[in-house]
Amino acid sequence: MVEIRQAAVIGAGVMGAGIAAQIANAGTPVHLLDIVPDGADDREVIAKGAIANLLKANPAPLMHKRNASLITPGNTEDHLDRLKDCDWIIEAVIENPAIKRDLYGRIAAVRKEQAVLSSNTSTIPLDVLTEGMDDTMRRHFLVTHFFNPPRYMRLLELVTGPDTLGDVTSAIRDFADKSLGKSVVDCKDTPGFIANRIGTFWLQCAVVEAIDGKVDVETADAAIGRPVGIPNTGVFGLLDLVGLDLMPHVLASMEGALPAGDAFHDVHREPELIKRLIADGYTGRKGKGGFYRLNPSDGNKTKQALDLQTGDYYDARRPKPDSVKAARKGGPRALMEHSDPAGRYAWAVMSKTLAYAAWLIPEIADEPAAVDEAMRLGYNWKFGPFELIDKLGPAWFAAKLRAEGQPVPAFLDRVGEGTFYRVQDGVLHQFSETQGYIPVTRAKGVLMLADVKRRAKPVASNRSASLWDIGDGVACLEFHSKMNSLNPFTLSMINKSIDIVQRDYKALVIYNEGSQFSVGANVGLLLIPAFLHAWFLVGPLVAMGQKAYKRLKFAPFPVVSAPSGLALGGGCEVLLHSDAVQANAETYTGLVEGGVGLVPGWGGCKEMLMRWTANPRRKQGPMPAVIKVFETIAMAVVATSAAEARDHLFLRDGDGISMNRDRLLADAKARALELADGYAPPEPRDIQLPGPTARVAMELAVAGFRKQGKATPHDVTVAHALADVLSGGDTDMTETVSEDDLLALERKAFVKLIRTPLTLARVKHMLKTGKPLRN
């Protein structure tokens, strides 16, 4: 099988550069080539500019800035010979079959025989791209359709031709899965493949139905948003995000490629309003605005929405339709059964979209799982089309279509009174076109907690956390409160899990499949003692967390945390108290308590001091480590990737990173079993801290920030409390400070700060808005 040791991307636009960045994120050297602009002094200016933009872009395409060194810029006139050393060549040029085929001919002259060539086309079928291609290249050619931005969008659509070698397909699937972190969905060679075929229809249908039905954009986005498991942007917000000027090109491509009887033609038209918006520079967020804008003549930048009938902007009204309220309890069916304009609009758009998806089986895919995964990962839908039909009830959906005189897709008709998914003998099954119900398969080596939960009951459970047996003597502690915030129930389950694992298991993995590992302690609980003036409750709550985390650290078995998404505050402290961390590459972690006017109270200060004082790369003496930890915590530094977390010692050199989130649990379990062999818990450490001298130095630094207007008065208060903890309080430099001493200092500072009115104001503001308050 081909091993991908070096790659090349041809086409240094936003998409091509993003693909190159993700290959570099995997640690693989990659060449990025583009044309030579007319009259250019620097013949690699396009590729060099693309790399420079990668380093400035936000959100960052690179997981670490050093990854840019793995990308070599070049041009297609002088450097095409570099392809002879590449194992995978990705074409990401303009969506024009003739231009692409001409490039393939030039590549054929230099590529090595076993090199894989793929196209990142989003709409052009493979058989069109391979016209005139020689047999050798055909056997090594496929379509690899990435989604933008390539780092963050997990979907990769894979299309092979009748001549594509199995080893070629396996090599790209394996590299994309394990090294690039992609969920690979096999697609049939049809226009738009899966996600864009359905997604383009959905967006176009939504625009047309809103204009024809005189539904305003805010109502439309309220209806086709959270109530149906679609991101808050809804339809019109999403179009603003991707760019209104992109849609005419996509629509034209689909119009020309799809057969005459396809339902897409029924909704395809480019409204005059949108033509005018594009012509006037209203192309969405990258332009003057789009369906939404921030009023440029208003100093407050008031959000405005576009009136689809008049083309004028009005101040956003943020409607709350009754149907959307009904959906909070009754789900998407309650939304679509409602008679208000939002409910009727949701039914008009989603009924057509869901029926379209059902009509496309087996044209675009043989089973619903592939379609659902493509829409979840390619368009960020919470539920794929068939999962959404199951929530509505397939029989109800079919009956409502018939009642309106709409044709019922054969695939929907065949499932009858059943559902497209069901659990049988603890295994998730899907309804297939030809075989009835068949198991939903996972890639080899993937272990999902969702599958464990279907076939077993928890070993222990409460309202916020559960303990599961994941086999081979390893238990898994799962957080499942809102946003996986931590509370006394969570802490209780940590303690109970330690007791159970010590008795019955070899190791513990802390992991969940929520969007976030943990956003930290539920700070709302702190308002209870404030409201009751029962401040005596705060100290025991902090002590409860300290005790649970201390037990994790010194448990007589290995503890491996496996985070993905946010691991903030108390969530970060879980990682700091674990023997090892196996992090998903997209882990964003830090000690952010300063944002609500507090200091880390569950051992975060202590553990960061322990790590930085033991760091062999630090400058000698007690001060450098203390100052580094002070800067990290006071500035509420958050690592924006697992790779970056190592810079701050949130992760250590020996901690692992899994690019593919679906492989995270299996990787963490393997690490736990590796540690379990001959495991001995760590010994408590004492460290030397500089005492009052360091505290004064840190306070002086904060005073400087205050004079410059970079710190508020309450920032100064919080920083002084943090400085007292990190300096060791009143300790003398000749003395040592124990871990318990540091915990006592954390607890004292935390309790003192929570009683200040300004900290309480920050807590309330954070709970209300989700944003920090500067006071």
Side-chain angles (χ1 to χ4, degrees):
M1 188 168 74
V2 177
E3 183 179 353
I4 310 301
R5 295 175 298 244
Q6 187 172 182
V9 178
I10 304 177
V14 172
M15 196 68 189
I19 294 169
Q22 187 65 0
I23 293 172
N25 288 335
T28 301
V30 56
H31 295 275
L32 180 61
L33 309 183
D34 210 304
I35 62 171
V36 179
D38 291 339
D41 294 328
D42 185 345
R43 294 173 65 81
E44 292 113 55
V45 62
I46 294 180
K48 286 180 179 177
I51 296 170
N53 289 335
L54 291 175
L55 290 164
K56 294 184 292 185
N58 185 22
L62 294 165
M63 293 179 179
H64 198 288
K65 289 186 182 296
R66 64 170 174 261
N67 294 346
S69 65
L70 291 169
I71 308 174
T72 303
N75 67 71
T76 53
E77 293 184 21
D78 304 325
H79 304 125
L80 217 58
D81 62 324
R82 293 180 187 173
L83 303 184
K84 68 180 186 299
D85 298 318
C86 296
D87 306 295
W88 184 14
I89 304 162
I90 303 171
E91 167 269 302
V93 303
I94 189 170
E95 288 286 82
N96 182 310
I99 292 174
K100 290 177 185 288
R101 288 194 294 259
D102 177 71
L103 177 61
Y104 300 157
R106 297 173 62 199
I107 292 171
V110 295
R111 64 176 280 275
K112 58 185 178 183
E113 186 177 353
Q114 298 304 313
V116 179
L117 172 63
S118 72
S119 174
N120 183 55
T121 181
S122 59
T123 56
I124 304 172
L126 181 144
D127 67 346
V128 173
L129 297 176
T130 54
E131 289 177 11
M133 187 178 286
D134 67 63
D135 292 343
T136 300
M137 188 174 278
R138 277 177 181 266
R139 288 193 287 270
H140 294 83
F141 184 85
L142 32 69
V143 169
T144 49
H145 179 213
F146 292 80
F147 280 68
N148 195 34
R151 170 182 166 182
Y152 300 97
M153 300 300 287
R154 292 178 56 204
L155 177 63
L156 179 75
E157 292 183 320
L158 187 66
V159 183
T160 60
D163 301 318
T164 309
L165 295 174
D167 282 352
V168 167
T169 305
S170 297
I172 297 304
R173 179 183 285 111
D174 189 69
F175 184 79
D177 171 353
K178 297 175 183 176
S179 297
L180 301 183
K182 299 301 175 186
S183 289
V184 181
V185 173
D186 291 302
C187 306
K188 295 190 177 181
D189 189 20
T190 57
F193 313 125
I194 295 177
N196 280 348
R197 178 76 173 272
I198 296 171
T200 302
F201 177 92
W202 165 65
L203 290 170
Q204 179 65 9
C205 183
V207 170
V208 169
E209 290 289 344
I211 292 174
D212 291 352
K214 295 182 171 54
V215 177
D216 66 88
V217 296
E218 290 184 278
T219 297
D221 284 346
I224 303 184
R226 277 188 179 176
V228 289
I230 287 169
N232 287 342
T233 55
V235 171
F236 292 98
L238 176 59
L239 287 170
D240 276 357
L241 184 64
V242 300
L244 274 65
D245 53 333
L246 178 65
M247 285 305 292
H249 301 288
V250 175
L251 293 171
S253 178
M254 298 294 281
E255 174 74 9
L258 292 172
D262 193 273
F264 173 81
H265 300 296
D266 297 335
V267 299
H268 175 243
R269 71 174 191 264
E270 188 177 357
E272 289 300 319
L273 173 63
I274 295 179
K275 289 181 183 178
R276 189 167 70 250
L277 286 171
I278 295 171
D280 292 342
Y282 288 88
T283 55
R285 294 190 187 182
K286 64 184 178 183
K288 300 176 184 177
F291 294 108
Y292 297 97
R293 73 171 184 180
L294 296 178
N295 186 358
S297 62
D298 183 346
N300 296 321
K301 292 187 176 181
T302 303
K303 184 178 181 180
Q304 295 186 318
L306 183 74
D307 186 316
L308 296 177
Q309 307 305 314
T310 67
D312 298 325
Y313 285 97
Y314 62 89
D315 289 350
R317 294 188 285 261
R318 295 174 176 81
K320 297 178 180 179
D322 290 340
S323 56
V324 172
K325 295 176 184 176
R328 291 173 189 165
K329 290 186 177 181
R333 182 162 161 180
L335 171 76
M336 297 184 204
E337 285 181 322
H338 206 283
S339 60
D340 73 358
R344 295 196 302 272
Y345 174 74
W347 167 255
V349 175
M350 296 310 297
S351 65
K352 291 180 176 65
T353 302
L354 299 179
Y356 186 60
W359 281 115
L360 293 176
I361 298 287
E363 180 186 342
I364 60 173
D366 288 324
E367 284 92 30
V371 174
D372 285 342
E373 185 168 21
M375 292 307 295
R376 285 197 311 270
L377 300 180
Y379 279 77
N380 282 329
W381 288 17
K382 186 176 181 180
F383 314 108
F386 295 98
E387 292 168 322
L388 191 51
I389 293 173
D390 274 358
K391 286 192 167 294
L392 295 172
W396 174 88
F397 182 53
K400 191 165 173 62
L401 289 175
R402 287 193 183 93
E404 294 187 352
Q406 298 184 47
V408 176
F411 189 51
L412 174 62
D413 207 30
R414 271 195 285 277
V415 81
E417 295 291 328
T419 53
F420 288 107
Y421 295 94
R422 71 181 186 188
V423 177
Q424 185 175 327
D425 299 325
V427 177
L428 182 65
H429 286 64
Q430 61 177 321
F431 186 75
S432 74
E433 170 72 9
T434 57
Q435 304 174 62
Y437 286 98
I438 59 174
V440 175
T441 58
R442 305 288 188 195
K444 185 179 180 181
V446 169
L447 173 63
M448 301 297 291
L449 189 58
D451 293 335
V452 173
K453 292 162 72 172
R454 287 189 187 96
R455 60 176 180 262
K457 293 183 178 180
V459 176
S461 185
N462 65 28
R463 60 192 293 179
S464 296
S466 298
L467 186 70
W468 299 89
D469 186 331
I470 57 174
D472 301 311
V474 180
C476 176
L477 174 60
E478 174 200 24
F479 304 148
H480 47 68
S481 58
K482 184 178 181 180
M483 300 285 283
N484 294 323
S485 61
L486 308 172
N487 56 51
F489 292 102
T490 317
L491 300 176
S492 174
M493 186 53 61
I494 288 174
N495 282 313
K496 188 170 186 177
S497 296
I498 291 169
D499 294 336
I500 293 171
V501 175
Q502 183 173 350
R503 184 183 67 233
D504 299 329
Y505 292 88
K506 299 177 185 177
L508 175 67
V509 169
I510 303 177
Y511 164 89
N512 64 73
E513 287 167 4
S515 299
Q516 319 299 349
F517 177 75
S518 172
V519 295
N522 182 350
V523 292
L525 295 173
L526 299 174
L527 297 179
I528 297 174
F531 180 76
L532 298 174
H533 295 282
W535 300 112
F536 64 88
L537 295 173
V538 177
L541 179 61
V542 177
M544 182 182 184
Q546 291 182 343
K547 178 183 176 182
Y549 282 40
K550 182 178 178 181
R551 290 193 71 199
L552 278 178
K553 180 175 180 178
F554 296 111
F557 52 81
V559 176
V560 177
S561 285
S564 181
L566 297 177
L568 302 177
C572 180
E573 287 172 306
V574 171
L575 311 187
L576 295 174
H577 286 81
S578 301
D579 292 286
V581 175
Q582 183 70 36
N584 175 236
E586 298 298 346
T587 295
Y588 320 116
T589 188
L591 297 168
V592 297
E593 287 84 352
V596 289
L598 294 168
V599 298
W602 287 347
C605 299
K606 164 183 69 76
E607 287 303 310
M608 290 299 287
L609 282 171
M610 293 292 167
R611 292 187 179 202
W612 278 101
T613 54
N615 181 20
R617 296 189 295 273
R618 72 174 175 88
K619 295 179 180 179
Q620 294 304 304
M623 282 292 289
V626 171
I627 297 300
K628 184 64 180 178
V629 176
F630 180 75
E631 291 172 350
T632 301
I633 297 177
M635 300 299 292
V637 171
V638 175
T640 57
S641 69
E644 195 177 287
R646 284 199 172 120
D647 293 348
H648 306 292
L649 297 194
F650 298 136
L651 266 63
R652 295 156 293 193
D653 289 343
D655 291 329
I657 297 176
S658 300
M659 290 293 284
N660 193 327
R661 183 172 180 172
D662 288 350
R663 295 188 176 275
L664 183 57
L665 181 56
D667 291 346
K669 177 183 173 182
R671 179 72 172 130
L673 287 170
E674 178 186 318
L675 291 173
D677 188 17
Y679 177 78
E683 293 292 332
R685 283 178 55 210
D686 294 343
I687 60 173
Q688 284 186 312
L689 292 173
T693 302
R695 183 174 66 244
V696 171
M698 288 183 274
E699 290 174 352
L700 285 173
V702 174
F705 282 118
R706 175 68 186 131
K707 286 182 179 179
Q708 297 170 35
K710 296 179 180 179
T712 68
H714 195 52
D715 289 335
V716 174
T717 300
V718 176
H720 283 189
L722 177 63
D724 188 61
V725 175
L726 298 180
S727 62
D730 294 326
T731 187
D732 187 274
M733 287 185 67
T734 61
E735 301 172 343
T736 59
V737 180
S738 70
E739 296 192 29
D740 284 342
D741 291 336
L742 286 169
L743 287 175
L745 287 169
E746 284 188 26
R747 189 163 61 249
K748 177 184 174 182
F750 191 98
V751 172
K752 180 181 178 181
L753 287 169
I754 192 59
R755 297 189 66 167
T756 63
L758 292 178
T759 286
L760 289 173
R762 287 190 179 189
V763 171
K764 292 176 181 177
H765 186 80
M766 176 65 75
L767 290 171
K768 183 177 180 180
T769 68
K771 299 176 181 179
L773 173 68
R774 295 297 307 278
N775 57 4

